[in-house]
Every structure is written in C-alpha cells, then in structure tokens.
Amino acid sequence: METRLAELRQPVLDRATTWPYKDGELGSFAYQRYDHPLAAESERVLGDLEGGRALLFSCGMAAISGLVLAFCKPGDAVAVPFGAYVSTSHLISDELSRFGLRLVEFDQTGPPPEEAAFVWLEPCSNPMLSFPDLDDSIARAHERGALVAVDATMLTPVLLRPLEHAADFSVHSATKLLGGHHDLVLGVASCARDEDAERLFQVRRLFGLIGSPDPAWLLLRSLKTLPLRVERSSATALELARQLQDHPAVESVNYPGLGDAVAARYVHAFGPLLSFVVRGGAAAAEALERSCELIENATSFGGARSTIESRSRWEGDRVPPALLRLSAGLEDAGELWSDLERALASL
Ligand code: PLP
C-alpha cells in the first residue's frame, strides 16, 4: 500500500467556504463547493490507494449520480447487476429514465449485456453477495465501447483496486467501511484517466455534489485504521458465515468466502457483509433481527458495531422474504456467534 496509512497526520479542520485571491489571482482554493483542503487531502490519499484520480462526493449516491451524469447520454442503456445496491437501479429506472437513460439489469456472474453503454459491477454485491469475473466482464464491455464502473464499497482498495483490472471508474460509499464508525456520510469516485477526472470535477461543481469538510476530516481519521478493520471484519464475517451454514434454522448463506472460486481469484478476503435466509419466512426473519442484542438491529454496514436487518423492508420482492443482511463489526467473533445462536434458538 503506497500511502502508509497509520502514519498519516491528521490535518486541521478547515471549514472555510471562501479563500482570498492572491494579487487578484486564484489560489489553490476559492470556494468550498468547488474544492477545499480536506477534500483535496482525502483525494490524495484515496487516489494513491486506488491508483487513479479520486474525487470526494457528499455520499455514495452522489458519486454514482455524478458518474452517470458525466458519462451517459440520452438513449444509453445502463447495466446494473441484479441483487446489487437497490438505489443504483432505482436512480436509473425511477429518475434518470426521464432524461432518456434505460436500465438493464443482469446477472453479473455472466457477461454484461451487449446493448449497455455503461456497465456497473459490484463485487461483492449488496445484499446477494455475487461476484463478477472482473477481467472478463470489463474486457467484454470495452470491446463494445462501453464504460465500466466498479462499486467496490464492500471490499475497499485494501482488498480490490478495480482500476488495476482496467475498470474506467471505481466507486465507494465511504459511509461504509472507509468511514467505518457509523458517523459520516461520503462517497468517492476514482478515474483511470485524467480527462475523465476533469469532466467529473466539472459535474461535481455544477451539481453541487462535493463532500463537506467535517465528514472528510472524520474520513481521514478512519483511513489510518482501514486495513486493520477490513481484515478483522472480513475474518469475522467468514467465521459467522461458516457457523450459520451449519445451523438447522438457516436455509442458505450468501458469502463469497464459502467457496466462490471466481471471487477467490481476485481477493484474499471478502468483506464484512453476508446475507442468509432463515427457515420460517418473513416472520422468522423479523423475529430474529429483533432478538439480537449485541448485533444492532439497524441498516447500513461496514461500521465498528455489527448490524443486522431483514432486507425485504427496503427491497420488497427483489429479495427472498426471509433474507437477513448481517455486517460483521469489530466485536469478538465468539460473542457475535453467541448472540446469533441465541436469537436463532428463539425462532
Ligand atoms: N453502493 C453500495 C454498494 C451501497 O451499499 C450503498 C449504500 O448502502 C451506496 C452505494 C450508496 O451510498 P450512500 O448511502 O453513502 O449514498
């Protein structure tokens, strides 16, 4: 890892919205909506990790929206994986369709749709945990002239650097593992090419999508411990996935660490998120999420505290009614399993 994260010095929290011209000339910063010192420092660190030009956004959805607004045009088909983050699909189908974009959903474990002008990949997908063959999918999309963005929120650049696999863009909800403490909302998009970063910068400026100084300061605090947190929560998730798989109240478990050979070609660990289906339908899933005590019954993932929730409340029939999504945090793995085992026994 080029940047030695633990050694990063925490910068001053500069909340200025405007900076004076120098002899009438623009300095490094002029107006916070364009750029500010904490965005620039976050982008330096993240760009170094990703091997590209990073831009900070107000949240993951702002980064995703910025990319679509910058690089898609009316008539384009945008391909988004089934079982991936639901709002990426909704952004295209419910909002940007009014501007002539078309959503095509596809199974990312196979090739991307030929008609797509812009392809999203999401390893490991939220909440179904599928994993694409990145090199093959990206090469196929490029052969047809499509652009490819990889949402690597679940893995972070500690485990996967999509630009090294020829993706055009890498994107993250920094609200999750990069932030890691459930106390900030931010997004980041990194570009393989400088000219794309310039274009995205212009879109961010005009649509007002930049992340603010306070969460950027917290993000820089968090990045120092990122590798430790990613490795620890991934190891715990794998342990819990294995234990869940053997439990009689559990019908199925989704986690690439349980033998996904394609995923294992790309990463040595699989992130904090897993999902599983309990026997007994939606009522059983709802009872289980409420019975957990150490694991918080809340949405989101990638924080120090483990979280669990039934996903159908958000995604309706896009997911199995008894699907629970669990994010392993930094607690003791044995205590987390005891909490789950007790909750499963009460079903
Ligand atoms: N990408 C993925 C994979 C996500 O899970 C999420 C949010 O859950 C987002 C993007 C959007 O991020 P944010 O909530 O920071 O806008």
Side-chain angles (χ1 to χ4, degrees), residues 59-61 64 85 122 126 151 153 173 175-176 185-186 301:
C59 60
M61 283 311 296
I64 292 169
Y85 182 50
E122 197 179 292
N126 166 20
D151 184 334
T153 295
S173 166
T175 313
K176 315 296 192 229
V185 174
L186 281 173
F301 58 88

Side-chain angles (χ1 to χ4, degrees), residues 232-248:
R232 164 73 182 248
S233 58
S234 298
T236 302
L238 179 59
E239 205 172 316
L240 296 178
R242 286 184 176 139
Q243 281 158 316
L244 283 166
Q245 205 176 26
D246 291 338
H247 196 285

